[in-house]
Amino acid sequence: MRRLVAPVAVLTGALVLAGCGSGDSPADSQGGSKAELSVSGAYMPQPVSDSMAAGFLTVTNKGGTKDELTSVTSDVGEVTAHETVDSSMQEATDLAVPAHGQLVFESGGNHLMFEKLRRKPQQGEKVTVKLHFTESGTVTVEMPVKSATYNPKTGH
């Protein structure tokens, strides 16, 4: 019986290591085969208008596959994603979140535009925003309402 224990242990160890993979597949070399999204730095400056507001945040993708933001919804009104192209703002139908990269919404660049507000969010409140992605589905974010002049340390 002792003679079987050592070979079985070696064989089992070899099978376990083989199952771990060498990291040579395209998905492994990219750090995973699917998008892994997280959201940080979300905030809305307190709106000065009764009908419009802006929102800012960063979507980080630690996965090996890109994803796309296709729409945004909120309980406070209609939301669209806007991008700045050649210093002019335009609505975006979708925005890429690159593999191992970020999609940044910041003042003067990409941003969320809230229109037809059902109520005017006040500083200290939180606004619920749902980000809809092609691969990752829906990500819900609680966006705090900051002062109208809030300027985060991250620059967005």
Side-chain angles (χ1 to χ4, degrees):
M1 189 70 150
R2 284 187 176 167
R3 289 183 182 186
L4 288 176
V5 172
V8 169
V10 170
L11 181 59
T12 302
L15 290 173
V16 168
L17 288 175
C20 291
S22 64
D24 290 337
S25 73
D28 288 341
S29 65
Q30 294 176 359
S33 62
K34 64 178 187 171
E36 295 177 30
L37 304 182
S38 63
V39 177
S40 62
Y43 75 98
M44 171 190 281
Q46 182 173 318
V48 293
S49 163
D50 288 338
S51 61
M52 293 177 55
F56 307 104
L57 52 87
T58 298
V59 180
T60 301
N61 182 357
K62 292 184 180 179
T65 302
K66 77 169 188 157
D67 207 339
E68 288 188 336
L69 177 67
T70 57
S71 66
V72 183
T73 56
S74 177
D75 59 344
V76 297
E78 295 177 12
V79 187
T80 51
H82 285 80
E83 58 187 340
T84 302
V85 179
D86 297 327
S87 72
S88 68
M89 180 179 69
Q90 63 186 33
E91 187 175 332
T93 55
D94 53 51
L95 291 169
V97 186
H100 305 291
Q102 294 184 324
L103 171 59
V104 179
F105 291 90
E106 60 189 345
S107 181
N110 296 340
H111 60 279
L112 300 178
M113 181 65 70
F114 294 78
E115 298 177 280
K116 299 180 182 174
L117 295 176
R118 293 181 187 95
R119 62 179 177 81
K120 185 176 177 180
Q122 300 296 316
Q123 184 176 339
E125 292 180 22
K126 288 187 179 179
V127 172
T128 302
V129 177
K130 293 186 179 188
L131 307 172
H132 304 276
F133 296 93
T134 302
E135 300 296 325
S136 301
T138 301
V139 175
T140 302
V141 177
E142 293 296 320
M143 181 176 281
V145 180
K146 302 288 189 176
S147 73
T149 59
Y150 177 70
N151 189 15
K153 293 178 185 175
T154 59
H156 73 268

